[in-house]
Amino acid sequence: MRPGTTSPDRTAKRTAERTAEPEDTDRAAEATEAAEATETAGSPARRLALAAMLFAVAMTFIDQTIVAIASPTIQSELALSRPTTQWVVNAYLLALAAAFAFGGRLADVLGARRMAVIGIVGFAGASVLCGATPKGSAAAAWIIGFRVVQGLAGALMIPAALAIVVAAFPLRERGRALALFFGVSGGLTAIGPIAGGYLAQWTWRSIFWINVPIALVALLLAAAARIPDRRRPARIDVPGAVLTALGMGLSVLGFEQAQNWGWGSPATWGCVVGGLAALAVFAAHEARSASPLIRIRIFTDRGFVVDNAVLFLSQIAFVPVFFFASVYAQVCLGYDASKSGLYLLMIFAGFAPAAQIGGRMLDRSGARRPMVLGSALGCAGFALWAAHLDRMSLGAQWPYIVMAGAGVGLLLGPASTDAVNRAIGASYGEVTGITQTVRNYGSALGMAVLGTVLTTVLTSRLTTSLTSLGVPPPAAAWAARAAARDAGAGTAAAPPAIRARLDTLVAHDFATATQWVLYGMAIALGVTFLAARLHPARQEREHRRRRAVEPAGR
């Protein structure tokens, strides 16, 4: 269709929307969005849009792991303390969690294309400045500050990118498109350790600079795709944005700092409880607001609630597993950072093909089946992987690593896509803001709780092991705590009589502690299975009916 012309279908849809009664506005908006997606269904532009948004979010997904791998080098070269170095990672995650919902709303009100471009440029610019961190007294404030800017830019970009992909594809093809989106972007999380290991050998600054060419490709593809910028003008709920940022920020801060402050610390529980209280006030405020940041009534949709429960529970396992598996590979298998990344690729080997299968299952019969099967497969995979960790061999573990990755890959795309398809009035930015907030919240909780499990079990096991070698209990407890904080850190200061054996003890006991972590992940996937079974079957029938009546658009 030539620019400047309007198809009869689009005219009819817009006429229907203008003449709709107030209670029919959401339905009319959904019809308009479906008509626009159908018109471009056969165009190469939609594939360019998908590729552009994949490159955009690639920066954020890779960033989740690449900085953690390079953090020891960053700490050494900038002369940062260990807690300060942890904030180089945590500041980004905290900003991302706090601003996701607001970013999703801005994508709806101001236009998804505009917010995606702002997010891409902001993320790349902040990356350049992180890489340009000066040495000296200003280093800590500089790098942490621009990591916060990176997180805020990511919170603007990701909901907008998802909204663009969703709007570009008609309902009948959306499952496969988003399966590709989530499959590739999820697998990029595993690339971080590999890229970080190689880039850090040159200079740690390059782990940030690598985002610049990726951003340029994303912008060029977005321009070529000529992505329409559909806006939904409305008042921005500033009090709601402040409340959700405060609630998410405080609670995630409490979870992240629990390992340092301790779960019994008033500061930990003050942040967690204060954050949850702010979220409760936010929910009450949104229910009364004339132009809410999040329309609370969407949570009356049982399918939407189940989708988000599945996302929350599965992310307790999926994102943290990259961190814990990477450390296990280095401590127990003796791998360097680069080879540890190859170990993590076993997860992607199962995740990527399963994501495509899950997308096809979603298109055929809806989200319930892939979510149920994926959570069951993931639960079994994590449990079997855990059972083989003490064999200290990739050969004994890889089938179960692949199985665990496949389970998450099978459920992640369908749960995310089904939640987005339930958007009120086609407000895709708002709904993707919700789903991404839920996913990030689950990841933060998983890191905090499972990190505490790892530290507690490792300290207990090492104390017992050292005591059995004749080390006095106080000295054994001190060396165990030092090794648990930083695997192997207690070696140099340990008593000479057991120093030669401590590395072996750490490797063995660390494997046992990681087993507990993976069993915890299996439990999370088991609860995910129970939640997935609550997904309403009637929604599956409705999904098939909508596919049957939707125009092919070719």
Side-chain angles (χ1 to χ4, degrees):
M1 182 177 294
R2 296 189 305 273
T5 64
T6 304
S7 73
D9 285 345
R10 180 179 291 187
T11 302
K13 295 300 182 184
R14 288 181 176 172
T15 301
E17 187 170 358
R18 285 196 301 269
T19 59
E21 295 298 324
E23 61 270 20
D24 294 331
T25 300
D26 289 343
R27 185 179 303 168
E30 289 172 353
T32 301
E33 188 70 29
E36 291 177 351
T38 300
E39 284 186 359
T40 59
S43 170
R46 66 179 186 178
R47 289 183 283 274
L48 286 173
L50 175 61
M53 295 305 102
L54 271 173
F55 273 95
V57 301
M59 297 185 293
T60 63
F61 279 90
I62 293 174
D63 197 88
Q64 290 182 4
T65 49
I66 195 171
V67 176
I69 289 294
S71 59
T73 306
I74 295 174
Q75 178 179 347
S76 174
E77 292 199 12
L78 295 181
L80 304 178
S81 66
R82 182 179 174 84
T84 300
T85 305
Q86 289 178 330
W87 273 104
V88 174
V89 177
N90 291 346
Y92 169 79
L93 297 175
L94 194 61
L96 199 64
F100 251 132
F102 186 52
R105 181 61 171 162
L106 288 178
D108 285 331
V109 175
L110 301 179
R113 184 189 64 190
R114 174 183 294 185
M115 299 316 299
V117 169
I118 291 174
I120 293 168
V121 173
F123 197 94
S127 297
V128 170
L129 291 168
C130 284
T133 302
K135 295 182 179 180
S137 58
W142 180 294
I143 193 169
I144 291 173
F146 285 111
R147 286 288 284 165
V148 169
V149 176
Q150 269 191 314
L152 295 176
L156 297 179
M157 182 206 311
I158 297 174
L162 279 166
I164 287 170
V165 173
V166 168
F169 288 83
L171 182 64
R172 64 187 296 150
E173 300 178 26
R174 193 173 293 160
R176 277 173 290 178
L178 286 179
L180 179 62
F181 184 89
F182 289 116
V184 174
S185 59
L188 291 173
T189 308
I191 294 177
I194 301 173
Y198 286 109
L199 290 174
Q201 293 176 9
W202 173 42
T203 171
W204 65 266
R205 299 176 189 274
S206 62
I207 69 170
F208 295 108
W209 293 338
I210 193 65
N211 289 328
V212 175
I214 298 175
L216 289 175
V217 172
L219 292 172
L220 290 173
L221 288 173
R226 299 184 180 274
I227 299 169
D229 209 17
R230 186 170 182 269
R231 305 174 190 175
R232 302 166 59 86
R235 184 177 65 85
I236 300 295
D237 181 15
V238 176
V242 173
L243 284 170
T244 188
L246 183 64
M248 292 299 303
L250 277 176
S251 53
V252 171
L253 174 64
F255 290 141
E256 288 183 341
Q257 291 297 105
Q259 294 184 65
N260 297 323
W261 295 342
W263 282 100
S265 168
T268 298
W269 288 107
C271 286
V272 172
V273 174
L276 294 177
L279 290 175
V281 174
F282 166 75
H285 168 79
E286 295 299 280
R288 298 190 303 269
S289 176
S291 183
L293 188 69
I294 294 174
R295 281 171 280 192
I296 300 298
R297 66 186 175 93
I298 195 173
F299 289 98
T300 60
D301 184 330
R302 177 178 165 186
F304 183 79
V305 173
V306 171
D307 290 334
N308 279 278
V310 167
L311 290 171
F312 173 80
L313 292 165
S314 63
Q315 294 309 289
I316 291 176
F318 183 58
V319 173
V321 74
F322 289 99
F323 171 78
F324 292 111
S326 176
V327 178
Y328 165 84
Q330 294 180 57
V331 173
C332 301
L333 302 183
Y335 292 171
D336 59 18
S338 300
K339 199 171 180 181
S340 295
L342 296 175
Y343 178 78
L344 297 183
L345 280 182
M346 291 293 101
I347 301 173
F348 184 52
F351 182 93
Q356 296 304 304
I357 295 171
R360 293 186 177 91
M361 292 173 68
L362 172 68
D363 286 335
R364 286 197 304 268
S365 59
R368 187 177 190 271
R369 188 181 177 199
M371 290 195 302
V372 170
L373 293 177
S375 53
L377 181 63
C379 178
F382 276 106
L384 290 169
W385 184 7
H388 290 78
L389 276 182
D390 56 359
R391 299 192 183 183
M392 308 286 195
S393 167
L394 176 59
Q397 299 172 27
W398 74 264
Y400 313 112
I401 301 176
V402 172
M403 185 186 299
V408 180
L410 201 59
L411 67 86
L412 185 58
S416 301
T417 306
D418 189 65
V420 170
N421 285 341
R422 296 169 186 275
I424 301 173
S427 53
Y428 296 128
E430 177 184 341
V431 175
T432 53
I434 296 172
T435 58
Q436 293 301 307
T437 298
V438 166
R439 289 178 60 177
N440 198 66
Y441 204 66
S443 301
L445 179 63
M447 284 293 295
V449 174
L450 297 174
T452 301
V453 169
L454 180 78
T455 301
T456 302
V457 175
L458 180 57
T459 302
S460 175
R461 292 281 304 186
L462 278 173
T463 301
T464 301
S465 297
L466 292 172
T467 303
S468 68
L469 294 176
V471 179
W478 179 89
R481 286 193 299 270
R485 284 195 305 270
D486 184 3
T491 303
I498 58 93
R499 189 176 302 163
R501 300 187 60 182
L502 186 56
D503 286 340
T504 301
L505 290 173
V506 168
H508 180 270
D509 291 339
F510 194 92
T512 301
T514 307
Q515 279 184 310
W516 283 68
V517 169
L518 291 188
Y519 281 131
M521 293 175 179
I523 292 171
L525 268 297
V527 180
T528 304
F529 171 79
L530 298 177
R533 288 180 58 85
L534 298 176
H535 199 276
R538 62 182 178 82
Q539 298 290 346
E540 307 307 304
R541 292 192 294 270
E542 175 64 14
H543 180 91
R544 290 194 292 271
R545 186 190 68 78
R546 291 174 68 182
R547 283 186 66 249
V549 301
E550 184 181 300
R554 294 191 181 279

